[in-house]
Amino acid sequence: MAQKPSIPKGTRDFGPVEMAGRNYIFDTIRSVFKLYGYAPIETPSMENLSTLLGKYGDEGDKLLFRILNSGDAFSGIDFSQFHVEGGAPDEYNSKALSLKVCEKGLRYDLTVPFARYVVQHQNDIAFPFKRYQIQPVWRADRPQKGRYREFYQCDVDVIGSKSLLNELELVQIVDKVFSIFGISVCIKINNRKVLTGLAEICGFPDKVVDITVAIDKIDKIGLEAVEAEMKEAGLPESAVEVIRPVLLLKGDVQEKLSVMRGLMSGGSASGAVSETGLKGLDELDELFGLIAGAGVGQETELDLSLARGLNYYTGAIFEVKAKDFAIGSICGGGRYDNLTGIFGLPGMSGVGISFGADRIYDVLTGLDKFPSGMKSSAKILFANMGDSEVRYLVPVVKALRDAGVSCEIYPDTAKLKKQFDYADRKAIPFISIVGGDEIAGNSVNVKNLESGEQKNFSKDDIQSIIDFIR
Amino acid sequence: MAQKPSIPKGTRDFGPVEMAGRNYIFDTIRSVFKLYGYAPIETPSMENLSTLLGKYGDEGDKLLFRILNSGDAFSGIDFSQFHVEGGAPDEYNSKALSLKVCEKGLRYDLTVPFARYVVQHQNDIAFPFKRYQIQPVWRADRPQKGRYREFYQCDVDVIGSKSLLNELELVQIVDKVFSIFGISVCIKINNRKVLTGLAEICGFPDKVVDITVAIDKIDKIGLEAVEAEMKEAGLPESAVEVIRPVLLLKGDVQEKLSVMRGLMSGGSASGAVSETGLKGLDELDELFGLIAGAGVGQETELDLSLARGLNYYTGAIFEVKAKDFAIGSICGGGRYDNLTGIFGLPGMSGVGISFGADRIYDVLTGLDKFPSGMKSSAKILFANMGDSEVRYLVPVVKALRDAGVSCEIYPDTAKLKKQFDYADRKAIPFISIVGGDEIAGNSVNVKNLESGEQKNFSKDDIQSIIDFIR
């Protein structure tokens, strides 16, 4: 009868300690989003498959979790039609068949549901629409260290405004969030138009995706491998030569912009001019000017090799790395000009970023930056010495809770060792052990379990108890 | 190309206004759970079907959302084995077939995953384990008004303690939550052992489930229909006669307990005695005594017709109704003695309640009890009169945000009418329109959009601006 309980691979249970850390992360991020006037939305976990399919490439389609239609899902289907011709007798076209028996899928990210939401509710939305969304997403990826089949995304986007003030605000949000966390970061910034410009001046404007995808890997695989990949994609050495100096460019923002302006306006090996590239450089110039004027405390950097894999970016792109902890990007995003077009609302420009909660959790753990005391659920445990002692304590505990102090009475009359052990395992910092003497003296004792300090209070002097345990 | 966007039936998008209301509900409930030392956990949205199947009855099994196995789900299956004998050529046994192609399902409630969690992590848990869990659940119910296929549950449970102090705390939690909400409620309390006792003294101890299920409906269908249902379940008139006076019993707690003690100790029409029933009455007596000593402000009632449909309850049962708004139960729960037995950990007694967020939302809306100002995402909007004006404002806005004031700069230089309209639609209560005159005077003006009051401040006097808009 009894089953050995387990959960699906790639999924996780979060216990009280992990939850305390995760809630600290989500609450902090949420509080900063709010400071900037972003409002929350939530979309359903399931979307129609027609909403999701084709939005993440063929690979993404394969990674969608599909939900079997409820009711009699399989009747009415002629399975022989889905048999793979020439295959084994039991070999079927699962892709086609799944579309027959599944109409819904679990959300794969928050971006597509956001685009769907904006189009569906466009008449109720006050544009520019500033929204944040913190919800889980699901991907049928092969589970491995640090990669899960269910994980949270924290997205913040503004849609319906082309102003670079929005980019500035996102940089300020990143600055503020990681400053609160006590994590030093480098905010890397580039502009997709500069990458388009690069493809143009090297003579292969139609290869911008190949170039972008290759450049995006430079941190992981190095310059030579990136060049090899570009050549494999059909770029001749002459084109690679135009791109190489860009990837190697050093200097501060103004130095980089100046060199790039030269290249884009005819000074490269090809001598070609890119208006798009120059526009991207103007946008970067303006954005870095705004950042300088706003007093952003964390490091910002113009990284011309930053590409980000997603094809829908059209302007600024961002990526955030922790400076003192080796892990991939912990936050990233960019501007897109046509996210909602696929759902019938063209021409809505927007920009957004996404915080990686799992990686931030690892960084906070690794750098020991979680606030102390976060782990404990209650401030004080009242030991249970018997029914009459408990009845004596109930009004004290109620008064403390009414004053906002989290406390517990141990529910059973158990051995003191067991009750101390409970306080220890829950990291409760204070204990009170009230027996006959205390009741006779109308008092309550409280012990600091860390320092050992112990004090007696009048039962009615709730404020002094609060002062002692705060 | 463009699709008309929609979401699956029975699911919902929540926009900023609904989210503000929902977050107010969740945050309030969460803050009270914390005051009582309950800690959060989260479990995966997907569980193995083996964890879920058979836990909710046949009807529940049908309502589980099943997730198609990823990869090549259909190859290797001999569909002919699942053909319904004698049925149409395309008639299949979907139930059996779905088990072949789906290993996982979406969580149906929070109780079974909680039981699974406790057993799986029993060595890491400090018992008694006080946990709360606020997460969505999914049911393939036919969608109808007020019934959704995805909805949140807010559960709070303590497991590993038989003490009635736990029941008291849950009543105190209910009291506190609804007092904060400003909703007057009646907390109805009964004990499943009393219902067992009833079945015993009327001579049909094996019919306790039928009796319970029938009694549970008395509010909806009335006494006569309940009696008819009991007779249909095989109870003779003589048995119904024993139960009838209990359903009609009036009076305060002590009066009811006194009459019931008489019935359970041989004073009923059958003359039979029920030790279990008497134990249930003792527990009720003790619990109501604790409640009286704890100063619970909301109304509590001993409701002997309260049964609650779930079969796993074995002790106290609770149900909460709003007194000034007609809607079903908005909170309910009870004690169970063997929730974890099915997963191999017998003898763990626990008690818990669940808050119905959707109904509470409706009550708060219906009684107009949501806090005012909750709707607005920002306190003040800075109009955008041009690039130099914005540059002038950026440090002001930063200083306000650093002081914890949520504010927005309208990102584009648009017509003032459009910017006012934006403030209006987002319910932003203050606006600042800084132009050349203000810049010349190193000042910032702020207007209260409700009262029309307007004031000028020195650009550096952030504190006075804060005082004006708070």
Side-chain angles (χ1 to χ4, degrees):
Chain A
M1 180 77 167
Q3 317 161 332
K4 190 167 179 272
S6 67
I7 53 176
K9 60 179 181 190
T11 69
R12 292 168 288 175
D13 282 326
F14 296 110
V17 173
E18 291 111 315
M19 282 302 294
R22 291 171 66 82
N23 283 340
Y24 168 69
I25 293 170
F26 293 134
D27 290 347
T28 301
I29 292 174
R30 198 180 286 123
S31 70
V32 177
F33 291 167
K34 277 186 184 170
L35 272 184
Y36 283 79
Y38 287 81
I41 70 162
E42 281 186 9
T43 61
S45 302
M46 323 173 170
E47 294 274 355
N48 292 320
L49 273 176
S50 56
T51 299
L52 302 174
L53 286 168
K55 310 304 190 299
Y56 308 104
D58 285 348
E59 198 50 39
D61 283 356
K62 281 185 203 153
L63 299 184
L64 291 173
F65 278 112
R66 289 148 201 255
I67 293 163
L68 192 68
N69 295 339
S70 39
D72 194 358
F74 291 100
S75 281
I77 294 172
D78 178 359
F79 289 101
S80 65
Q81 286 192 351
F82 298 91
H83 184 255
V84 174
E85 223 184 290
D90 59 0
E91 200 175 335
Y92 290 92
N93 181 339
S94 283
K95 189 176 162 186
L97 200 38
S98 73
L99 287 175
K100 276 287 192 188
V101 296
C102 300
E103 281 170 5
K104 297 180 285 290
L106 292 178
R107 132 182 101 220
Y108 180 88
D109 70 1
L110 301 179
T111 306
V112 168
F114 172 55
R116 193 266 309 146
Y117 179 97
V118 168
V119 178
Q120 190 173 331
H121 302 281
Q122 54 186 289
N123 296 325
D124 305 319
I125 292 173
F127 290 101
F129 183 42
K130 298 170 81 167
R131 86 85 172 82
Y132 70 86
Q133 192 169 356
I134 301 178
Q135 291 192 275
V137 302
W138 295 268
R139 297 182 185 178
D141 254 320
R142 204 144 42 126
Q144 58 188 68
K145 193 181 173 315
R147 185 188 289 168
Y148 305 102
R149 292 186 146 191
E150 173 177 45
F151 57 97
Y152 270 76
Q153 290 191 334
C154 312
D155 281 21
V156 58
D157 288 81
V158 51
I159 192 163
S161 164
K162 292 181 178 170
S163 165
L164 289 171
L165 263 187
N166 300 301
E167 274 85 341
L168 169 66
E169 284 203 350
L170 294 179
V171 170
Q172 289 182 296
I173 285 174
V174 170
D175 180 35
K176 182 90 179 175
V177 164
F178 290 107
S179 299
I180 295 175
F181 286 148
I183 301 176
S184 290
V185 296
C186 177
I187 307 170
K188 292 162 181 276
I189 303 173
N190 196 8
N191 192 299
R192 185 57 71 96
K193 291 189 182 79
V194 175
L195 298 169
T196 304
L198 265 185
E200 288 178 9
I201 62 171
C202 76
F204 291 84
D206 56 325
K207 295 268 189 218
V208 63
V209 171
D210 294 307
I211 295 172
T212 301
V213 168
I215 288 180
D216 197 31
K217 299 181 183 164
I218 193 157
D219 273 2
K220 279 186 198 152
I221 63 177
L223 181 65
E224 276 180 41
V226 166
E227 292 192 353
E229 195 167 313
M230 287 194 285
K231 283 178 188 163
E232 216 166 290
L235 290 176
E237 174 60 26
S238 63
V240 172
E241 249 168 58
V242 174
I243 295 168
R244 185 179 304 129
V246 179
L247 296 177
L248 295 171
L249 194 55
K250 302 276 179 229
D252 66 18
V253 172
Q254 285 310 321
E255 285 162 356
K256 286 180 181 170
L257 286 177
S258 165
V259 172
M260 290 302 295
R261 278 218 177 84
L263 292 174
M264 292 290 171
S265 49
S268 79
S270 72
V273 172
S274 168
E275 293 301 334
T276 305
L278 287 167
K279 174 134 191 8
L281 294 169
D282 286 346
E283 290 178 6
L284 283 169
D285 199 3
E286 189 182 339
L287 176 55
F288 276 99
L290 285 168
I291 289 171
V296 169
Q298 297 270 7
E299 183 182 327
T300 52
E301 181 194 325
L302 170 52
D303 180 354
L304 291 157
S305 73
L306 176 65
R308 296 201 51 86
L310 286 165
N311 290 331
Y312 52 73
Y313 290 133
T314 52
I317 42 185
F318 306 99
E319 203 161 276
V320 181
K321 294 211 166 176
K323 291 170 78 169
D324 307 319
F325 194 82
I327 202 166
S329 140
I330 52 179
C331 179
R335 177 170 287 276
Y336 40 81
D337 281 336
N338 198 21
L339 198 61
T340 56
I342 190 113
F343 297 116
L345 185 66
M348 288 287 269
S349 189
V351 56
I353 51 170
S354 184
F355 287 82
D358 287 309
R359 284 188 176 173
I360 293 172
Y361 188 98
D362 290 345
V363 176
L364 287 167
T365 305
L367 299 177
D368 197 17
K369 293 284 189 187
F370 276 118
S372 61
M374 194 190 62
K375 262 177 66 181
S376 63
S377 51
K379 202 82 187 165
I380 178 165
L381 174 70
F382 288 87
N384 186 327
M385 308 299 286
D387 283 356
S388 57
E389 286 84 350
V390 164
R391 277 172 205 269
Y392 174 83
L393 284 172
V394 161
V396 177
V397 175
K398 182 177 189 308
L400 282 169
R401 286 173 178 152
D402 283 345
V405 177
S406 170
C407 30
E408 294 193 44
I409 307 185
Y410 195 85
D412 304 282
T413 311
K415 283 185 182 151
L416 259 183
K417 158 105 183 57
K418 195 173 173 184
Q419 301 192 41
F420 269 98
D421 187 49
Y422 177 83
D424 184 50
R425 292 188 67 173
K426 288 190 79 170
I428 300 173
F430 292 89
I431 197 165
S432 168
I433 304 165
V434 164
D437 288 354
E438 284 76 17
I439 295 179
N442 202 41
S443 71
V444 171
N445 58 23
V446 179
K447 184 175 185 172
N448 182 327
L449 284 170
E450 204 184 327
S451 70
E453 189 189 0
Q454 184 164 336
K455 270 199 170 178
N456 250 37
F457 301 92
S458 157
K459 186 194 176 193
D460 307 313
D461 189 6
I462 299 298
Q463 190 54 52
S464 294
I465 300 178
I466 294 174
D467 293 342
F468 183 63
I469 67 181
R470 272 219 173 122
Chain B
M1 179 77 168
Q3 316 159 332
K4 190 168 181 269
S6 66
I7 52 177
K9 61 179 179 187
T11 70
R12 293 169 287 175
D13 283 327
F14 297 110
V17 173
E18 290 111 315
M19 283 301 293
R22 292 171 65 83
N23 283 340
Y24 168 68
I25 293 170
F26 293 134
D27 291 346
T28 301
I29 292 175
R30 199 179 285 122
S31 71
V32 177
F33 291 167
K34 278 186 181 167
L35 272 185
Y36 283 78
Y38 287 82
I41 71 163
E42 282 186 9
T43 61
S45 301
M46 323 173 170
E47 295 274 354
N48 293 320
L49 273 177
S50 57
T51 299
L52 302 175
L53 286 168
K55 308 305 188 297
Y56 309 103
D58 286 349
E59 199 49 39
D61 283 355
K62 281 185 202 153
L63 299 184
L64 292 173
F65 278 112
R66 290 146 199 256
I67 293 162
L68 193 68
N69 295 340
S70 38
D72 194 358
F74 292 100
S75 282
I77 294 173
D78 178 0
F79 288 101
S80 65
Q81 286 191 349
F82 297 91
H83 185 254
V84 174
E85 223 183 290
D90 59 359
E91 200 176 334
Y92 291 91
N93 182 338
S94 283
K95 190 177 162 185
L97 200 38
S98 73
L99 288 175
K100 277 286 191 188
V101 297
C102 300
E103 279 171 7
K104 296 179 286 291
L106 292 177
R107 139 182 95 220
Y108 180 88
D109 70 3
L110 302 178
T111 306
V112 167
F114 171 56
R116 193 265 312 144
Y117 178 96
V118 168
V119 178
Q120 190 173 332
H121 303 281
Q122 53 186 290
N123 296 325
D124 305 319
I125 292 173
F127 290 102
F129 183 42
K130 298 170 80 167
R131 88 84 173 80
Y132 70 86
Q133 193 169 354
I134 300 179
Q135 290 192 278
V137 301
W138 295 269
R139 297 182 184 178
D141 255 320
R142 204 142 43 123
Q144 57 188 66
K145 193 181 174 313
R147 185 189 288 169
Y148 305 102
R149 292 187 145 191
E150 174 177 43
F151 58 97
Y152 270 75
Q153 290 191 334
C154 312
D155 281 20
V156 58
D157 289 81
V158 50
I159 193 163
S161 165
K162 291 181 180 171
S163 165
L164 288 171
L165 263 186
N166 300 300
E167 274 84 341
L168 169 66
E169 284 202 352
L170 295 179
V171 170
Q172 288 182 298
I173 285 174
V174 169
D175 180 35
K176 183 89 176 174
V177 164
F178 290 107
S179 299
I180 295 175
F181 286 149
I183 300 176
S184 290
V185 296
C186 177
I187 308 170
K188 291 162 182 275
I189 303 173
N190 196 9
N191 192 299
R192 186 55 73 94
K193 292 189 182 79
V194 175
L195 297 169
T196 305
L198 264 186
E200 287 177 10
I201 61 170
C202 76
F204 291 84
D206 56 324
K207 295 270 190 218
V208 63
V209 171
D210 294 308
I211 294 172
T212 301
V213 168
I215 287 179
D216 197 29
K217 298 180 182 165
I218 192 158
D219 274 1
K220 280 187 198 152
I221 64 176
L223 181 65
E224 275 179 42
V226 166
E227 293 192 352
E229 196 167 313
M230 288 194 284
K231 284 178 186 163
E232 216 167 291
L235 290 176
E237 174 61 25
S238 63
V240 172
E241 249 168 56
V242 173
I243 295 168
R244 185 179 304 129
V246 178
L247 296 177
L248 295 172
L249 194 56
K250 303 278 178 225
D252 66 20
V253 172
Q254 286 310 321
E255 285 163 356
K256 285 179 181 170
L257 288 176
S258 165
V259 171
M260 291 302 294
R261 279 218 176 84
L263 292 174
M264 292 290 170
S265 49
S268 80
S270 73
V273 172
S274 168
E275 292 301 334
T276 304
L278 287 167
K279 175 133 188 12
L281 295 170
D282 286 347
E283 290 177 8
L284 283 169
D285 199 2
E286 189 181 339
L287 176 55
F288 276 98
L290 285 166
I291 290 171
V296 169
Q298 298 270 7
E299 184 182 326
T300 52
E301 182 193 324
L302 168 53
D303 180 355
L304 292 158
S305 73
L306 176 65
R308 295 200 52 86
L310 286 165
N311 290 330
Y312 52 74
Y313 290 133
T314 52
I317 42 185
F318 305 100
E319 203 161 277
V320 181
K321 294 210 165 176
K323 291 170 78 170
D324 307 320
F325 194 82
I327 202 167
S329 142
I330 53 180
C331 179
R335 177 171 285 277
Y336 40 81
D337 281 335
N338 198 21
L339 198 62
T340 56
I342 189 108
F343 296 116
L345 186 64
M348 289 288 269
S349 189
V351 55
I353 52 170
S354 184
F355 287 82
D358 287 309
R359 284 188 177 171
I360 292 171
Y361 188 97
D362 290 344
V363 176
L364 287 167
T365 305
L367 298 177
D368 197 18
K369 294 285 190 185
F370 276 118
S372 62
M374 195 189 63
K375 263 177 65 181
S376 63
S377 51
K379 201 83 187 164
I380 176 165
L381 174 70
F382 289 87
N384 186 327
M385 309 299 286
D387 283 358
S388 58
E389 286 85 349
V390 164
R391 277 173 204 269
Y392 173 83
L393 284 173
V394 162
V396 177
V397 174
K398 181 177 189 306
L400 282 170
R401 285 172 178 152
D402 283 346
V405 178
S406 170
C407 30
E408 294 193 41
I409 307 186
Y410 195 85
D412 304 282
T413 310
K415 283 186 182 150
L416 259 184
K417 157 102 183 56
K418 196 174 174 183
Q419 302 192 42
F420 268 98
D421 188 49
Y422 178 82
D424 184 48
R425 291 187 68 173
K426 288 191 79 170
I428 300 174
F430 293 88
I431 197 165
S432 168
I433 304 166
V434 163
D437 288 355
E438 283 76 19
I439 295 179
N442 202 41
S443 71
V444 172
N445 58 23
V446 180
K447 184 175 184 173
N448 182 328
L449 284 170
E450 203 183 327
S451 70
E453 189 189 0
Q454 184 162 336
K455 270 198 168 177
N456 249 36
F457 300 91
S458 157
K459 187 193 175 193
D460 307 312
D461 188 5
I462 300 297
Q463 190 55 51
S464 295
I465 300 178
I466 294 173
D467 293 342
F468 182 64
I469 67 181
R470 271 213 175 127

